[in-house]
Amino acid sequence: MKAAIRISEKQIIGEIDRRIYGSFIEHMGRAVYEGIYQPDHETSDSDGFRQDVLELVKELNVPIIRYPGGNFLSGYNWEDGIGPRAERPKRLDLAWRSIETNEVGLHEYMKWAEKSNTEVNMAVNLGTRGIDAARNLVEYCNFEGGTYWSDLRKANGQDKPYGIKTWCLGNEMDGDWQIGHKTAEEYGRLAEETAKAMKWVDDSIELVVCGSSSSTRPTFVDWELTVLDHTYEYVDYLSLHQYYDNKNDDLSGFLAKSEDMDRFIKSVAAICDTVKAKKRSDKTLMLSFDEWNVWYHSNEETAAQKPWTVAPHILEDIYNFEDALLVGSMLITLLKNADRVKIACLAQLVNVIAPIMTERDGAAWKQTIFYPYQQTSLYGIGEALQTTVDVPTYDTEDIKNVPYLDCITIFNREACELVIFTVNKHQMDEIEVGLDTDFIIESVIEATEMAGYDIKAVNGPDSQPVYPKEMAGISIQNNYLNIRTKPLSWNMVRVKVAEKS
C-alpha cells in the first residue's frame, strides 16, 4: 500500500504550545503515595520523593501537570495540606472511597514539581466550595506578602510566591458522579464569579473552565453554550475530557477512535466560536484537553477494592501495544489541532492509568504508552504543518473513511528540522510513504519504529520488551523522502532541512 504526503512551509496549522504535552497527578490510588512520594523507598530523597520516578518524569519532558484532581478535587479542602504534617487531618475521600492522609499537600507538591522541571496547572474546588476558597488559594500561592494568606505561606516556609499561572475552575461539574454536581446554569454562574475574583487577586493568571466530561454526555453542547454564555469573557480555555477502550476487542474500531477525538475537538472549537459571534467578542477561546487516555483494563479490579484504605491499588491499567498505537494517534490528533488545543494532560502520570508504574519495594518502569508520549514531547516542538495525506481508508461500525495512515509533520524552525509522526493502522500491509515538500531535505537525523509486536504485548517490572527501535527503509531521492512503515506501527522520522533564507 502506498501513501502520498504533501507539506509546505507556508501551510501552518499553528505554533505548538509545549503545554500540549502535559500530564495529571490526582490524589487517588497510588499516584501520590507509593507513586511520586514514598519516604521509605531506597531511591527516595530527604523530602520523601522517589528519585527513580523523578528520572522517568524528566525523560518524558513533561511541561505542566494538573493537580490535585480530578474527582478528588470536588471534596478537597486545600488548607488540609498546609502547615505541620503532624497537625494535618485525615479525611474521607468520597470520590475514590479511600483515606487521604494529607501527608502530601501544596508545599510538598510544589517542591516535587520544581524537582521534576514542570509547571503546575492548579485546580480549585467548585464542588463543595467556591469563590472564597479559590481566591484565598490564589492569594496564598501568588501574592507577594503583607496579607493573611500570603504571610501564612511565608510562615509555612515559602517566602517567595509560587507564581502559578494556569488554574482549573473545578472538575467535570456536568457529571452526576461529582461531589457538588451542578447544572450548567449553576456552574456557569459560580465559575463566572470565581473567575472574576481570582483574577482580581492576580490578573496574570489563565483560567480553564469545565466543558463536558465526554462527547457522549447527554448535555454535551448545551452545557458548553450555557457555561460559556456566563464565562466567555473571564476565562482563557475550555476543557475537554475523553477516554477510549477496546472492551469489544475490535482492533480496527479501537484504532479509529482518534477520528472521534478529532471530531470532538472541532465540535467544541465551533461551539466556542458560536459564543464568540453571539457576544461579538474579539477573543478566540482556546482549548485544554486536560484529561485523555486509554482506560478500561483495570475497571473490574478497581470495583472489587476494599474501601477506606490509604493508597489503594485502583485504575492501574497495564497497557499493551495496541494501546500505544492509539495513544500515538491521539497525540497526532492533538497536534493536528494545535491552533486551538494549547493545553493537554495525559491522565495520569504515575500508577493510575499511567505511562510510569512503580513497585512498592522495587523499581519504577515504563509502560508501552510511555514512548509515543516521550517522543512527541521531546521532538514535537515548533509549528504543526498542514499534512495532506492521500491513502486508502476503511470503515468501522461507528466511523467511516478512517485513513490507514495517521500522520502529522512538525517544523522546528530553530533546529532546521522536520519531524514526521505516523501510525500505520493496517493490520497486514506495509505502507510506503512518499513525502513531497518545498523544504530542501538534507539528511535523515533519526528514524525509529514501534512495530512487529503482538498487539497484546505488555511491559512489566521485570521486562520491558516493547519500545522503539531503529527503522530501516528510509531513503531520499530528488528531495523526495520515502518511508516504509510496517503494519500496526508507531513511527518517528526526523530529517534535517536547509535553512530558509
Side-chain angles (χ1 to χ4, degrees):
M1 186 181 294
K2 293 183 181 293
I5 298 176
R6 171 69 189 175
I7 60 168
S8 171
E9 184 189 11
K10 298 176 182 178
Q11 294 181 312
I12 300 170
I13 297 171
E15 184 75 24
I16 297 166
D17 190 316
R18 283 274 303 125
R19 294 176 298 173
I20 207 170
Y21 305 119
S23 192
F24 179 26
I25 285 179
E26 180 173 357
H27 280 255
M28 68 173 297
R30 296 192 310 126
V32 175
Y33 308 110
E34 295 187 21
I36 66 172
Y37 178 81
Q38 187 181 335
D40 63 351
H41 193 268
E42 63 181 4
T43 70
S44 290
D45 62 16
S46 59
D47 294 311
F49 299 126
R50 287 184 57 148
Q51 296 299 290
D52 56 350
V53 173
L54 272 170
E55 288 307 310
L56 293 184
V57 173
K58 290 176 182 178
E59 283 187 37
L60 285 173
N61 196 32
V62 185
I64 192 168
I65 300 174
R66 184 167 169 246
Y67 175 86
N71 294 352
F72 171 82
L73 174 69
S74 292
Y76 181 54
N77 300 327
W78 67 266
E79 302 92 336
D80 290 347
I82 62 174
R85 275 201 181 105
E87 298 175 13
R88 296 180 190 176
K90 292 180 172 63
R91 301 283 192 190
L92 292 182
D93 168 24
L94 302 186
W96 303 110
R97 303 190 76 202
S98 58
I99 302 293
E100 173 55 50
T101 67
N102 285 303
E103 192 173 350
V104 171
L106 175 64
H107 287 259
E108 290 79 20
Y109 182 77
M110 295 304 296
K111 184 174 288 188
W112 181 86
E114 182 179 9
K115 292 184 179 194
S116 59
N117 301 324
T118 66
E119 295 180 18
V120 174
N121 182 1
M122 184 64 73
V124 299
N125 175 359
L126 294 189
T128 59
R129 308 192 78 185
I131 300 168
D132 212 37
R135 71 177 178 120
N136 291 344
L137 181 57
V138 177
E139 181 183 327
Y140 186 91
C141 291
N142 287 9
F143 202 74
E144 186 69 35
T147 65
Y148 175 81
W149 290 109
S150 60
D151 285 348
L152 183 59
R153 181 198 68 239
K154 292 185 176 187
N156 286 332
Q158 179 64 29
D159 188 61
K160 293 183 179 179
Y162 287 119
I164 300 170
K165 294 303 179 186
T166 311
W167 297 75
C168 295
L169 298 169
N171 174 75
E172 293 186 353
M173 299 309 301
D174 63 326
D176 55 8
W177 58 86
Q178 203 72 211
I179 304 171
H181 159 63
K182 293 171 174 57
T183 66
E185 181 68 27
E186 289 168 340
Y187 172 69
R189 282 288 296 123
L190 177 59
E192 175 186 4
E193 295 305 317
T194 304
K196 287 159 61 177
M198 291 172 71
K199 287 197 172 184
W200 284 338
V201 175
D202 183 351
D203 62 6
S204 73
I205 62 176
E206 293 188 319
L207 300 178
V208 182
V209 71
C210 288
S212 293
S213 50
S214 82
S215 60
T216 59
R217 293 292 297 162
T219 54
F220 173 51
V221 180
D222 288 338
W223 173 273
E224 279 77 5
L225 289 171
T226 301
V227 168
L228 291 181
D229 195 47
H230 287 290
T231 63
Y232 193 90
E233 294 298 346
Y234 304 107
V235 300
D236 305 279
Y237 306 92
L238 178 67
S239 77
L240 301 81
H241 291 183
Q242 193 75 52
Y243 297 95
Y244 295 107
D245 64 64
N246 192 16
K247 292 177 183 176
N248 297 326
D249 205 21
D250 171 14
L251 180 59
S252 295
F254 181 58
L255 296 182
K257 291 184 177 181
S258 57
E259 295 293 304
D260 179 78
M261 183 187 194
D262 186 66
R263 294 175 190 179
F264 186 24
I265 293 170
K266 287 179 169 55
S267 295
V268 174
I271 294 166
C272 292
D273 292 344
T274 298
V275 178
K276 175 183 179 180
K278 177 185 175 182
K279 291 185 172 292
R280 296 168 175 81
S281 175
D282 293 329
K283 180 170 90 175
T284 298
L285 199 67
M286 297 301 168
L287 306 182
S288 174
F289 213 127
D290 53 29
E291 286 191 34
W292 68 271
N293 205 344
V294 173
W295 171 15
Y296 71 104
H297 295 285
S298 64
N299 285 353
E300 291 181 5
E301 293 89 338
T302 296
Q305 278 290 326
K306 180 181 177 181
W308 313 126
T309 61
V310 176
H313 288 247
I314 59 176
L315 274 68
E316 296 196 9
D317 280 31
I318 300 300
Y319 290 112
N320 58 32
F321 179 51
E322 68 184 5
D323 298 326
L325 293 176
L326 182 59
V327 165
S329 276
M330 293 173 80
L331 285 158
I332 288 171
T333 301
L334 292 170
L335 291 167
K336 286 179 180 178
N337 292 279
D339 57 330
R340 296 302 290 267
V341 179
K342 297 301 179 181
I343 303 171
C345 301
L346 177 74
Q348 294 187 21
L349 185 60
V350 184
N351 284 332
V352 175
I353 51 173
I356 298 170
M357 299 296 292
T358 70
E359 299 301 298
R360 175 71 178 81
D361 298 313
W365 51 278
K366 304 173 185 178
Q367 294 236 55
T368 60
I369 66 170
F370 183 98
Y371 298 102
Y373 180 22
Q374 179 191 39
Q375 289 187 319
T376 50
S377 179
L378 288 174
Y379 300 112
I381 298 169
E383 298 162 337
L385 301 180
Q386 190 68 50
T387 305
T388 303
V389 183
D390 183 8
V391 69
T393 62
Y394 69 93
D395 294 340
T396 72
E397 184 177 345
D398 299 320
I399 302 174
K400 309 301 180 186
N401 300 315
V402 180
Y404 275 112
L405 187 79
D406 211 351
C407 183
I408 189 66
T409 308
I410 311 300
F411 178 39
N412 185 331
R413 195 174 295 273
E414 184 176 340
C416 293
E417 177 177 312
L418 286 178
V419 185
I420 305 109
F421 297 113
T422 64
V423 173
N424 179 345
K425 298 183 179 183
H426 203 288
Q427 298 183 42
M428 303 296 293
D429 293 351
E430 277 193 347
I431 300 179
E432 185 177 341
V433 182
L435 176 67
D436 183 23
T437 180
D438 54 5
F439 288 93
I440 306 301
I441 300 173
E442 295 183 340
S443 61
V444 175
I445 301 168
E446 181 183 12
T448 66
E449 63 184 8
M450 289 177 72
Y453 299 109
D454 185 284
I455 59 171
K456 304 299 184 183
V458 299
N459 291 341
D462 300 320
S463 176
Q464 292 95 52
V466 183
Y467 61 91
K469 298 178 181 177
E470 186 176 350
M471 175 196 288
I474 306 289
S475 64
I476 304 170
Q477 295 179 333
N478 299 321
N479 204 50
Y480 199 77
L481 180 67
N482 291 286
I483 308 168
R484 298 188 71 89
T485 66
K486 293 177 181 174
L488 296 178
S489 60
W490 159 261
N491 311 279
M492 180 187 73
V493 177
R494 300 166 56 212
V495 296
K496 187 76 173 178
V497 296
E499 186 172 356
K500 295 286 184 176
S501 58

